[in-house]
Amino acid sequence: VQLQASGGGLVQAGGSLRLSCAASGSRFHVNDMRWYRQTPGKQRELVATITRSSTSNYADSVKGRFTISRDNARNTAYLLMDSLKPSDSAVYYCNADVVTFQDSRVRDYWGQGTLVTVSS
């Protein structure tokens, strides 16, 4: 199973971006999916979580501005980021709990980061 993150880029403050995280492979399903972000010299920060039934939670710093969603048929999660601030600039990583049918074990997978830069 692989996670592929995409959608980062350069945007002006106040603008919007939508990140995508797609899981690919065979014989699996995805439970919780998460977005983290990290800036140089800082710990990775949990931004948003969504369960398979689409219950979501957000870091206080992004509540009201970011929306996490998912499409289970496509094994894909999205992070819509509105009203972006320069402080949102970071490398964003997706993370997922994946159950493989082969052994019914839950494994933790990470996508590669996608860079978001918000200019002032």
Side-chain angles (χ1 to χ4, degrees), residues 7-63:
L10 174 64
V11 64
Q12 288 189 331
S16 299
L17 279 176
R18 190 179 81 153
L19 306 183
S20 298
C21 173
S24 62
S26 62
R27 296 177 56 75
F28 69 95
H29 75 243
V30 184
N31 287 342
D32 291 1
M33 301 185 79
R34 306 169 192 88
W35 286 98
Y36 288 80
R37 65 186 181 187
Q38 189 170 26
T39 53
K42 292 189 177 181
Q43 286 192 328
R44 199 167 288 189
E45 173 193 17
L46 177 60
V47 174
T49 301
I50 188 165
T51 67
R52 187 167 178 83
S53 59
S54 293
T55 299
S56 57
N57 284 289
Y58 300 90
D60 288 343
S61 58
V62 307
K63 277 182 183 175

Side-chain angles (χ1 to χ4, degrees), residues 4-11 16-22 35 77-81 84 90 92 94 112-117:
Q4 179 72 40
S6 61
L10 174 64
V11 64
S16 299
L17 279 176
R18 190 179 81 153
L19 306 183
S20 298
C21 173
W35 286 98
Y78 305 95
L79 186 68
L80 176 60
M81 305 183 293
L84 281 163
Y92 283 72
C94 62
Q112 90 291 2
T114 184
L115 178 63
V116 172
T117 303

Side-chain angles (χ1 to χ4, degrees), residues 79-112:
L79 186 68
L80 176 60
M81 305 183 293
D82 293 321
S83 303
L84 281 163
K85 305 174 182 179
S87 57
D88 294 317
S89 297
V91 177
Y92 283 72
Y93 297 90
C94 62
N95 167 256
D97 298 335
V98 177
V99 180
T100 50
F101 296 162
Q102 178 181 359
D103 56 12
S104 299
R105 288 181 60 184
V106 179
R107 293 179 172 85
D108 187 50
Y109 285 86
W110 289 87
Q112 90 291 2

